Amino acid sequence: MDKQIEKTLNTHFENNRVVFWYDDKKEFRQYFDDLNLPNVTKIILQNNEFAVKYRILREEPKQKFLLYQESLRPSDLDNWLLDVLLSNIEFKTEQSALRLADLNLGYENLEITENHSEFFKSKDRHERLKELVNPSEDTISKIRLKMLAVCVKSDTDIDSIMESLLDEYANGKEDKINLISRCKLDSFLFTVLKRKYNYESVQPSVKDFILQLLSASYKNDIGADLKPEERFSNDGYVFLKRWKDSRTHEESFEKISNEIADILCIENDIDTREIEELKSCDVFLSIDKKILHSLTQDIFKRTISKDEVLSIVRQRNNTRWMNKHEVKTCYQALKFAALFMNEFVGEPQFESDSTSDAISKYVRCWHKIDQYYRKYVYFAKTTAFSNLLADLSEKIENAYS
């Protein structure tokens, strides 16, 4: 305790010339007597306040003083040294006060150490927070945000904090969110989510947050009506895009997206939608499966033009699930299927009068059919969705032969 007291007092004297120490329980007189702080004069306050004030302000205006009194802090009306106290600092020996002082924070932030005592039981958490805190600029909210970041081991912005919590949720763990709860920071976390993303729930949780966000994003993308309580702020959708497109959190997003899709029975809704409604939405893999199935059927039936297929494939190129090999290769297969089938529009003739005529026609146009066929076959064989393409593959083989 003596080392902690000395350390805290030295921290106080870095920014203050006079430090007041009130010891109403008379527990620390021995500590005071044993203290030996360099360049600091120790004085016991005992009905000598006026003389001490004169000495501090007039006789030794540059000297540092530690003023100790075995009583409660006097009321402002009865405190002869109130002006000196208000322009300097009071040292408190409660554990919460010592922790606050070690963070170099003023007593207006005392609720940080009093209300979140569990957080400070870990020396590592305390030291990490100390590295992050900016005493001259941080508000209580900013400090609490940094405490959340320490709990989840992330950067200090709410986006990074939520990404870390979602990674944990995706892995079926609850260590970080349980620590936040034990440190009594959970209410603050959900207050920030309300303020930043407009997330609100009767029973807020990490799972409920991402379920509501993915649901709102899907409805928003397909043009469905959203109730006021379902709407997220622009920051909420920006967060979702950042997390969804992140390579770092790729595995977590896919696990959670698939889980939420099952909870929402999203395939049932997707099955009722046309491609036009879905082509700008990419929060669920089921959306791409639906588009791929519809394109396959339309190409097989020749109810869609080559340009329409190319346009849809081009638009899907920048969507989330295109980084999945089975999705990308299936789109590529359909692209070349559409190009191949387009060459047969109008029943073209494949006869030639001579070898040189055949070579000439191959160079001019037939080589495209050969190229589109070979590329289709390559992508159709490499995609995991080859069963989806079975009928189309048979039709293309028959046309090519």
Side-chain angles (χ1 to χ4, degrees), residues 295-310 332-350 365-377 389-401:
L295 284 178
T296 302
Q297 294 299 309
D298 289 342
I299 294 170
F300 180 85
K301 297 174 183 177
R302 296 192 178 187
T303 55
I304 189 171
S305 71
K306 171 204 70 172
D307 290 340
E308 288 177 295
V309 174
L310 296 182
Q332 288 300 305
L334 292 175
K335 168 183 156 183
F336 289 109
L339 290 168
F340 177 87
M341 298 299 286
N342 185 66
E343 295 297 319
F344 289 84
V345 174
E347 299 185 4
Q349 299 297 314
F350 293 102
C365 56
W366 293 353
H367 76 281
K368 290 182 182 179
I369 296 173
D370 194 36
Q371 182 184 50
Y372 296 151
Y373 167 77
R374 293 178 188 280
K375 288 191 174 182
Y376 170 78
V377 170
L389 303 174
D391 291 343
L392 180 59
S393 293
E394 183 179 354
K395 186 167 189 171
I396 288 176
E397 286 289 348
N398 291 336
Y400 185 74
S401 59

Side-chain angles (χ1 to χ4, degrees), residues 31-286:
Y31 287 104
F32 174 79
D33 290 340
D34 292 343
L35 273 174
N36 184 20
L37 302 176
N39 303 315
V40 174
T41 299
K42 299 190 299 181
I43 297 178
I44 297 175
L45 295 177
Q46 197 170 25
N47 298 319
N48 56 348
E49 288 83 357
F50 185 78
V52 169
K53 185 173 186 177
Y54 185 81
R55 179 179 177 182
I56 290 172
L57 299 180
R58 297 294 184 180
E59 295 181 342
E60 300 177 66
K62 294 184 179 181
Q63 177 61 30
K64 294 181 178 180
F65 291 92
L66 176 60
L67 307 182
Y68 175 85
Q69 186 169 349
E70 289 184 320
S71 69
L72 286 169
R73 170 177 166 172
S75 67
D76 290 351
L77 289 175
D78 296 327
N79 194 345
W80 285 79
L81 295 169
L82 179 62
D83 55 337
V84 180
L85 172 58
L86 294 179
S87 61
N88 287 274
I89 197 167
E90 179 185 349
F91 169 61
K92 295 186 178 182
T93 49
E94 294 91 342
Q95 188 78 317
S96 57
L98 291 173
R99 288 167 175 164
L100 192 70
D102 189 55
L103 295 171
N104 203 22
L105 294 171
Y107 286 107
E108 66 275 11
N109 300 300
L110 189 58
E111 64 183 84
I112 289 293
T113 49
E114 285 187 335
N115 296 348
H116 309 292
S117 58
E118 180 69 24
F119 178 92
F120 294 97
K121 288 181 180 179
S122 164
K123 182 180 179 181
D124 289 342
R125 289 196 295 267
H126 182 110
E127 291 302 317
R128 177 61 181 145
L129 181 63
K130 188 176 179 179
E131 293 172 4
L132 295 174
V133 164
N134 184 335
S136 63
E137 295 183 6
D138 285 351
T139 62
I140 288 179
S141 288
K142 283 185 178 180
I143 296 169
R144 285 197 172 109
L145 196 63
K146 291 177 178 180
M147 292 169 73
L148 284 174
V150 171
C151 287
V152 303
K153 299 179 180 179
S154 75
D155 291 339
T156 58
D157 60 285
I158 189 60
D159 285 2
S160 297
I161 290 167
M162 288 309 300
E163 285 170 346
S164 180
L165 288 172
L166 288 169
D167 284 345
E168 177 183 65
Y169 174 74
N171 290 321
K173 298 180 180 179
E174 297 182 333
D175 295 347
K176 293 176 180 178
I177 192 64
N178 285 342
L179 175 59
I180 287 172
S181 181
R182 292 200 310 274
C183 293
K184 297 182 179 179
L185 287 164
D186 47 340
S187 293
F188 174 74
L189 169 65
F190 294 117
T191 296
V192 175
L193 296 185
K194 164 63 178 172
R195 184 171 64 243
K196 183 77 183 291
Y197 304 139
N198 198 39
Y199 165 69
E200 196 167 14
S201 176
V202 176
Q203 293 183 310
S205 67
V206 174
K207 177 181 179 179
D208 182 70
F209 165 76
I210 199 58
L211 185 150
Q212 287 200 36
L213 181 55
L214 288 173
S215 176
S217 177
Y218 172 70
K219 290 179 180 179
N220 197 49
D221 287 343
I222 64 175
D225 291 332
L226 284 168
K227 299 175 183 177
E229 63 270 19
E230 293 179 314
R231 295 181 186 134
F232 279 73
S233 66
N234 287 335
D235 284 336
Y237 296 118
V238 169
F239 163 75
L240 175 58
K241 179 172 175 53
R242 162 179 153 156
W243 175 60
K244 171 171 63 73
D245 296 339
S246 167
R247 289 291 184 183
T248 304
H249 306 288
E250 178 178 8
E251 185 177 349
S252 296
F253 169 77
E254 291 179 6
K255 284 182 180 179
I256 293 174
S257 173
N258 291 333
E259 177 187 335
I260 300 303
D262 289 341
I263 293 172
L264 296 176
C265 299
I266 209 71
E267 287 190 12
N268 293 340
D269 185 79
I270 288 173
D271 284 342
T272 68
R273 306 285 174 184
E274 300 295 330
I275 292 181
E276 189 64 29
E277 296 177 90
L278 298 171
K279 64 182 183 180
S280 64
C281 183
D282 67 345
V283 290
F284 300 116
L285 177 59
S286 302

